[in-house]
Amino acid sequence: GRGLGGIPALTFTDHADAPAFSIMRKIDVTKECLDFKTTLLDMQQLLTENPKLDYFPVVRFLDDGEAVLTASMTRQNVDRLTRILDPMGLGPETPVDLMDPELQRPSDGGRPFVEGCPPHVGPSTTVKEVYLMMRVAHGENVIYVTREGCLLGDITFSTLMSHKL
């Protein structure tokens, strides 16, 4: 090869057998996630405080500071939902239940706002398996890393392809 890494390196090198945990981006659950029961203000603040993030895990917080992954939203869908629910910006404290089935499977057949059961892997899943999930099974741009349901981090396709091999 020409030292470009990419697909062959992800599938045919020692790097392919590295654990997902070794390349994931650690998520700060207090600053980068949406509680499944949230408010419009919290949703807007999340967008403002995380301008570089395109995906936001939806979680249920536990008493010990960990958070169980329950769903995921794209930046675009967080913004779209806040504008639809409060177009004039007059109700920032409006409660929003992100587990409402209407947000995951709209009865009008429209695009869902929330992705329930987002793709996730355990920390020891190999980089090769993550790659195959992204490209073959799901066509996903983000896969979450969890341990016993609790969110640890995420791996985006761009991170996977640019990781030092």
Side-chain angles (χ1 to χ4, degrees):
R2 300 185 308 227
L4 297 177
I7 295 165
L10 284 175
T11 53
F12 300 114
T13 66
D14 292 340
H15 176 70
D17 295 323
F21 188 84
S22 69
I23 66 163
M24 74 173 197
R25 181 186 70 85
K26 186 168 175 14
I27 292 178
D28 181 336
V29 294
T30 62
K31 295 180 181 167
E32 301 176 32
C33 296
L34 283 163
D35 193 339
F36 77 104
K37 290 197 184 263
T38 190
T39 65
L40 292 173
L41 179 62
D42 288 341
M43 294 171 75
Q44 280 298 337
Q45 285 178 329
L46 186 73
L47 293 177
T48 303
E49 294 169 6
N50 297 284
K52 295 183 179 176
L53 295 181
D54 292 323
Y55 302 94
F56 298 100
V58 176
V59 299
R60 183 182 296 255
F61 287 99
L62 302 177
D63 293 337
D64 62 5
E66 291 189 297
V68 175
L69 178 67
T70 59
S72 179
M73 291 183 77
T74 63
R75 168 175 290 281
Q76 180 182 13
N77 281 339
V78 173
D79 185 53
R80 188 168 64 104
L81 183 59
T82 58
R83 283 189 280 116
I84 288 171
L85 293 178
D86 189 19
M88 304 299 287
L90 302 175
E93 294 303 320
T94 301
V96 181
D97 180 353
L98 296 174
M99 293 294 92
D100 183 331
E102 187 65 25
L103 296 177
Q104 294 185 35
R105 189 169 180 215
S107 56
D108 65 4
R111 288 183 328 194
F113 290 94
V114 177
E115 178 184 8
C117 303
H120 60 280
V121 297
S124 61
T125 302
T126 66
V127 169
K128 178 179 175 179
E129 291 169 316
V130 171
Y131 170 78
L132 292 172
M133 278 183 72
M134 284 185 167
R135 289 289 41 63
V136 179
H138 294 283
E140 298 291 344
N141 288 316
V142 65
I143 290 186
Y144 295 101
V145 180
T146 62
R147 179 181 289 123
E148 297 174 3
C150 290
L151 185 61
L152 301 174
D154 66 15
I155 301 170
T156 63
F157 188 69
S158 59
T159 299
L160 190 64
M161 297 309 288
S162 65
H163 195 75
K164 293 278 185 230
L165 302 176

